[in-house]
Amino acid sequence: MQTKTLGTLGRTSAIGLGLMGMSDLYGPSDRAESIATIHAALDAGITLLDTGDFYGMGHNEMLLREALDRRDRDQVQISVKFGGQRGPEGSFLGFDARPAAVKTSLAYSLQRLGSDHIDVYRPARLDPDVPIEDTVGAIKEMIDAGYVRHVGLSEVGAETIRRAHAVHPVSDLQIEYSLISRGLEGEILDTCRELGIGVTAYGVLSRGVISGHWSADRGGAPRDFRSRSPRFSGDNLDRNLELVERLRVIASQLGVSVAQVAIAWVAAQGNDIVPLVGARRRERLAESLGALDVELTAEQLAAIESAVPKGAAAGDRYDATQMAMLDSER
Ligand SMILES: NC(=O)c1ccc[n+]([C@@H]2O[C@H](COP(=O)([O-])OP(=O)(O)OC[C@H]3O[C@@H](n4cnc5c(N)ncnc54)[C@H](OP(=O)(O)O)[C@@H]3O)[C@@H](O)[C@H]2O)c1
């Protein structure tokens, strides 16, 4: 497995596995296949595993614990997001990153994971009611106490990154980044690079829309995130799938799949940017891992960007309510 460096976390696998869809938000998933996928990822040398305490309201962390049973915990870097408030039926109720919530959430996560520490702990969003210094200050206390190893951030902008980093060095910013979600580029990425902070890029396939496997007749189930996503609805979806067909031409010239081109493009953007793929089946994981063998030349990168120019996506990456919660979009 190739490696990259993510700020204070140091060396990590060149691709990370995000577990969210194994518990939540993308319709039904198969528990045995999810665990087999995590095992296949570990066997392939993936060390970075990303979860959130609110993914399936604890389900995702308990799934990870089961998958890591009889595996070497110290060979794995577990990244956990916290703060999302959920109701029993799965509704999203808001966000809480007060210092007491940091410590309480951490205590519960450690129990669910069956671990004495978390490698990277991060608020999933900026809590508008809590200064980032207070949230990161509480994580710092937990680092000093040995329960957490590194501070991470998620979907925040340059000013918040600087304020957080001044309290404690940040390992990585987790942010949506793909051929059709390029808000990272410019001030946010420049700030990360200036401060030596890495990037874990999620949604590299834009939740599947640019994977080459989505089609207009594949509607989302009621609790599927994509049933409310502007990029997956109506004319927007048709226009986004046209972009995919342009990518497919390039992929077939290269003898690889559309998803592999999309992942390889993100991977090529820097040694400090690690794509987090949302594979939840071994077949999809194998396809994602194949992207690591795709080395794109400058001409090929230019051809990809001309097929899918910056800003070409139709529709925002979240619905209006969720967009308003993104400090990274301000
Ligand atoms: N910080 C944040 O705010 C935030 C937000 C969202 C996610 N994340 C993290 O990032 C991870 C990845 O995000 P994501 O799941 O939205 O990303 P993604 O990889 O863009 O999308 C995953 C979707 O793409 C489909 N897909 C098709 N081909 C694939 C392939 N070869 N490999 C992987 N997936 C393929 C999957 O399909 P199937 O339906 O066939 O399984 C799945 O539904 C999450 O698991 C989570 O840990 C973080």
Side-chain angles (χ1 to χ4, degrees):
M1 170 61 64
Q2 301 151 36
T3 59
K4 288 190 171 186
T5 300
L6 282 181
T8 59
L9 181 65
R11 300 307 279 178
T12 192
S13 47
I15 200 164
L17 182 66
L19 310 185
M20 181 181 78
M22 295 177 180
S23 300
D24 213 352
L25 296 167
Y26 292 161
S29 59
D30 181 284
R31 187 178 187 89
E33 182 60 25
S34 296
I35 289 175
T37 303
I38 296 171
H39 288 166
L42 299 176
D43 294 342
I46 287 183
T47 55
L48 182 63
L49 301 177
D50 183 71
T51 181
D53 60 11
F54 51 92
Y55 292 165
M57 292 75 81
H59 181 279
N60 209 231
E61 292 176 316
M62 293 190 285
L63 180 82
L64 177 55
R65 178 187 188 147
E66 191 177 329
L68 292 181
D69 186 34
R70 279 180 266 145
R71 295 278 175 154
D72 185 353
R73 163 71 182 89
D74 293 332
Q75 296 299 312
V76 182
Q77 297 154 319
I78 302 179
S79 152
V80 179
K81 290 181 293 301
F82 67 89
Q85 304 295 292
R86 308 282 306 263
E89 76 299 359
S91 56
F92 280 89
L93 305 172
F95 198 78
D96 190 351
R98 292 170 299 150
V102 170
K103 294 172 191 175
T104 307
S105 304
L106 174 64
Y108 283 60
S109 281
L110 291 170
Q111 287 298 322
R112 284 187 292 259
L113 289 166
S115 178
D116 62 0
H117 73 279
I118 283 168
D119 296 277
V120 188
Y121 201 50
R122 70 183 88 235
R125 295 286 179 268
L126 176 68
D127 184 335
D129 300 323
V130 180
I132 191 68
E133 287 83 357
D134 294 2
T135 302
V136 173
I139 302 176
K140 179 181 186 308
E141 273 183 56
M142 296 295 94
I143 289 176
D144 293 341
Y147 297 117
V148 172
R149 300 261 161 94
H150 302 275
V151 176
L153 295 172
S154 171
E155 288 290 359
V156 293
E159 189 198 327
T160 305
I161 294 170
R162 285 187 191 285
R163 287 172 53 186
H165 194 73
V167 176
H168 190 279
V170 171
S171 65
D172 65 296
L173 168 70
Q174 194 171 107
I175 189 165
E176 184 164 356
Y177 185 52
S178 72
L179 270 166
I180 63 168
S181 305
R182 296 179 59 178
L184 166 70
E185 294 172 9
E187 193 188 12
I188 298 179
L189 184 57
D190 292 347
T191 304
C192 288
R193 288 188 166 154
E194 180 195 322
L195 301 175
I197 297 170
V199 171
T200 37
Y202 76 84
V204 292
L205 300 175
S206 195
R207 322 265 184 171
V209 76
I210 59 164
S211 66
H213 300 295
W214 197 266
S215 58
D217 55 4
R218 193 181 149 181
R223 273 184 58 185
D224 191 318
F225 168 89
R226 296 168 293 205
S227 63
R228 300 181 307 278
S229 165
R231 287 191 176 166
F232 285 81
S233 56
D235 292 347
N236 286 349
L237 177 60
D238 294 338
R239 281 166 54 200
N240 292 330
L241 290 177
E242 280 168 29
L243 298 175
V244 174
E245 291 318 305
R246 293 194 222 160
L247 267 187
R248 203 182 297 279
V249 172
I250 296 177
S252 65
Q253 285 163 356
L254 296 173
V256 301
S257 72
V258 174
Q260 288 170 336
V261 170
I263 297 167
W265 180 87
V266 172
Q269 304 309 308
N271 275 327
D272 50 358
I273 300 181
V274 173
L276 265 186
V277 297
R280 50 196 184 150
R281 290 187 273 141
R282 284 168 287 182
E283 187 193 348
R284 297 287 198 236
L285 174 72
E287 182 182 33
S288 299
L289 287 167
L292 292 175
D293 299 325
V294 182
E295 272 200 41
L296 298 168
T297 63
E299 291 74 28
Q300 289 163 344
L301 287 165
I304 292 166
E305 285 172 40
S306 117
V308 183
K310 200 168 176 169
D316 284 334
R317 57 196 182 95
Y318 284 98
D319 67 22
T321 311
Q322 291 178 298
M323 282 298 281
M325 295 179 69
L326 299 177
D327 184 61
S328 50
E329 294 283 343
R330 280 189 198 116

